[in-house]
């Protein structure tokens, strides 16, 4: 699954909590420096310094925050991170990864870097399904390149080969929005609008709406999306739903101009 945005109302408390966590970490480990921590968690030193001094005014990206938390705590399981850092941080994790507490979702910054390559991203996503990814299907889809990308993931411990079927080592994981957006096109290419044999129309693309709306309508639409996604997630996670169809769902909401939707109105959800 992919990380959601963070409600504006949680910014202040979260920034304060991050500052406290960062200061406590460096106080307990005097041999560590912001420069060294920057290299370890792949977050710029100026960003860490501003958080440390309480001089940062805008919330860092969800990726940056999770990179910091997983590095400082040495823990990738988001449910355990939430238990370790209660309060604003736990609430933050619940807002961007609603199933974190229930499913023990894992976040791995190194995996995010690995999945910047589009074919590798698809290979991993398909292998994460309960039925896994057959090597024959992988070869059919991507040929030698796909096989080589899978081998890299196997060597790095992210995939395992079980009788020529690939599975991920971690079942419930999350990746950052940047990784997904970078690979959005290759995922969207799988949307089929016509049956190639019968030449009849398909209805895989359910909607492509656009309209100018007011803040109340925006809030209502976002609320409806989230309630529907919760129901879909419950169905997809149910053991009785498991099968061999590699279903995927794409759902996004934003503006058709450079200004993101949350700058027009805080959904407050």
């Amino acid at each position: 699954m992919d990380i959601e945005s963070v409600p504006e109302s949680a910014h202040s408390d979260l920034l304060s909590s991050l500052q406290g966590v960062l200061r406590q970490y460096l106080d307990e480990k005097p041999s560590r420096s912001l420069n060294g921590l920057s290299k370890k968690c792949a977050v710029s030193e100026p960003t860490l310094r501003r958080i440390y001094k309480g001089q940062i005014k805008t919330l860092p990206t969800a990726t940056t925050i999770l990179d910091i938390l997983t590095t400082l705590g040495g823990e990738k399981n988001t449910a355990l991170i939430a238990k370790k850092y209660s309060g604003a941080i736990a609430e933050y994790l619940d807002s961007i990864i609603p199933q974190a507490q229930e499913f023990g979702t894992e976040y791995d910054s190194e995996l995010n870097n690995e999945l910047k390559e589009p074919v590798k991203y698809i290979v991993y996503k398909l292998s994460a399904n309960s039925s896994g990814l057959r090597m024959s299907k992988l070869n059919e889809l991507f040929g030698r390149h796909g096989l080589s990308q899978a081998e890299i993931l196997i060597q790095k411990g992210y995939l395992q080969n079980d009788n020529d079927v690939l599975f991920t080592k971690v079942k419930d994981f999350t990746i950052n929005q940047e990784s997904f957006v970078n690979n959005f096109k290759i995922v969207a290419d799988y949307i089929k609008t016509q049956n190639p044999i019968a030449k009849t129309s398909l209805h895989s693309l359910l909607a492509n709406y656009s309209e100018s709306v007011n803040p109340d309508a925006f809030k209502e639409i976002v609320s409806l999306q989230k309630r529907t996604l919760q129901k879909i997630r419950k169905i997809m996670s149910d053991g009785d739903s498991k099968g061999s169809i590699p279903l995927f769902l794409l759902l996004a909401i934003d503006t058709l101009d450079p200004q993101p939707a949350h700058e027009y109105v805080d959904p407050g959800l």
Side-chain angles (χ1 to χ4, degrees):
M1 66 144 291
D2 307 291
I3 297 174
E4 299 178 25
S5 59
V6 185
E8 290 281 347
S9 57
H11 288 194
S12 179
D13 289 344
L14 179 56
L15 286 173
S16 178
S17 295
L18 283 174
Q19 180 187 24
V21 169
L22 184 55
R23 286 188 169 184
Q24 181 179 353
Y25 176 84
L26 293 174
D27 287 345
E28 293 176 352
K29 301 180 185 296
S31 61
R32 302 288 174 87
S33 66
L34 285 174
N35 179 263
L37 182 59
S38 171
K39 294 176 180 178
K40 190 175 181 181
C41 67
V43 175
S44 72
E45 184 179 352
T47 296
L48 291 176
R49 193 171 300 282
R50 286 195 295 271
I51 294 174
Y52 181 82
K53 293 183 176 180
Q55 296 174 342
I56 193 166
K57 302 299 181 183
T58 58
L59 197 66
T61 65
T63 302
T64 294
I65 294 172
L66 279 173
D67 283 340
I68 292 172
L69 291 174
T70 53
T71 300
L72 296 183
E75 176 59 61
K76 296 177 182 178
N77 185 300
T78 52
L80 296 181
I81 294 173
K83 288 181 180 179
K84 184 170 184 176
Y85 304 117
S86 58
I89 290 178
E91 292 173 5
Y92 157 77
L93 289 174
D94 187 57
S95 70
I96 65 167
I97 315 172
Q99 71 270 35
Q101 306 295 333
E102 183 178 352
F103 296 100
T105 304
E106 289 201 8
Y107 174 87
D108 187 336
S109 58
E110 293 181 2
L111 176 61
N112 277 298
N113 289 329
E114 285 292 330
L115 299 185
K116 288 180 179 178
E117 204 282 335
V119 170
K120 192 182 292 184
Y121 173 84
I122 290 294
V123 170
Y124 191 84
K125 291 284 279 186
L126 289 172
S127 300
N129 293 335
S130 57
S131 59
L133 172 61
R134 289 179 287 108
M135 294 294 288
S136 57
K137 173 58 75 172
L138 172 59
N139 188 41
E140 176 188 326
L141 290 171
F142 301 114
R144 265 188 204 175
H145 181 59
L147 293 172
S148 67
Q149 295 304 310
E151 185 59 32
I152 291 172
L153 290 170
I154 291 172
Q155 291 177 357
K156 294 192 174 183
Y158 292 115
L159 294 183
Q160 57 188 12
N161 188 334
D162 184 1
N163 294 321
D164 285 336
V165 181
L166 297 176
F167 294 94
T168 56
K169 291 286 187 69
V170 175
K171 182 56 185 172
D172 290 295
F173 67 96
T174 185
I175 66 168
N176 60 45
Q177 286 186 328
E178 291 88 341
S179 291
F180 176 73
V181 170
N182 288 339
N183 294 306
F184 179 84
K185 186 178 185 302
I186 192 171
V187 178
D189 282 344
Y190 283 88
I191 299 175
K192 294 163 282 292
T193 59
Q194 188 178 65
N195 186 314
I197 299 176
K199 303 299 182 183
T200 55
S201 296
L202 299 175
H203 301 287
S204 304
L205 185 60
L206 297 179
N208 180 21
Y209 299 148
S210 63
E211 181 57 276
S212 55
V213 298
N214 60 40
D216 288 339
F218 175 77
K219 289 182 180 181
E220 186 176 354
I221 291 169
V222 172
S223 177
L224 180 60
Q225 278 187 318
K226 291 193 173 185
R227 292 198 304 272
T228 303
L229 278 175
Q230 288 173 351
K231 294 179 180 179
I232 293 173
R233 172 68 182 179
K234 185 176 181 180
I235 294 171
M236 295 177 73
S237 302
D238 192 320
D240 292 336
S241 299
K242 304 305 179 186
S244 60
I245 302 173
L247 177 73
F248 71 94
L249 173 72
L250 303 177
L251 181 58
I253 181 169
D254 213 332
T255 62
L256 289 174
D257 63 30
Q259 187 172 350
H262 73 80
E263 291 186 6
Y264 285 105
V265 55
D266 174 12
L269 302 168

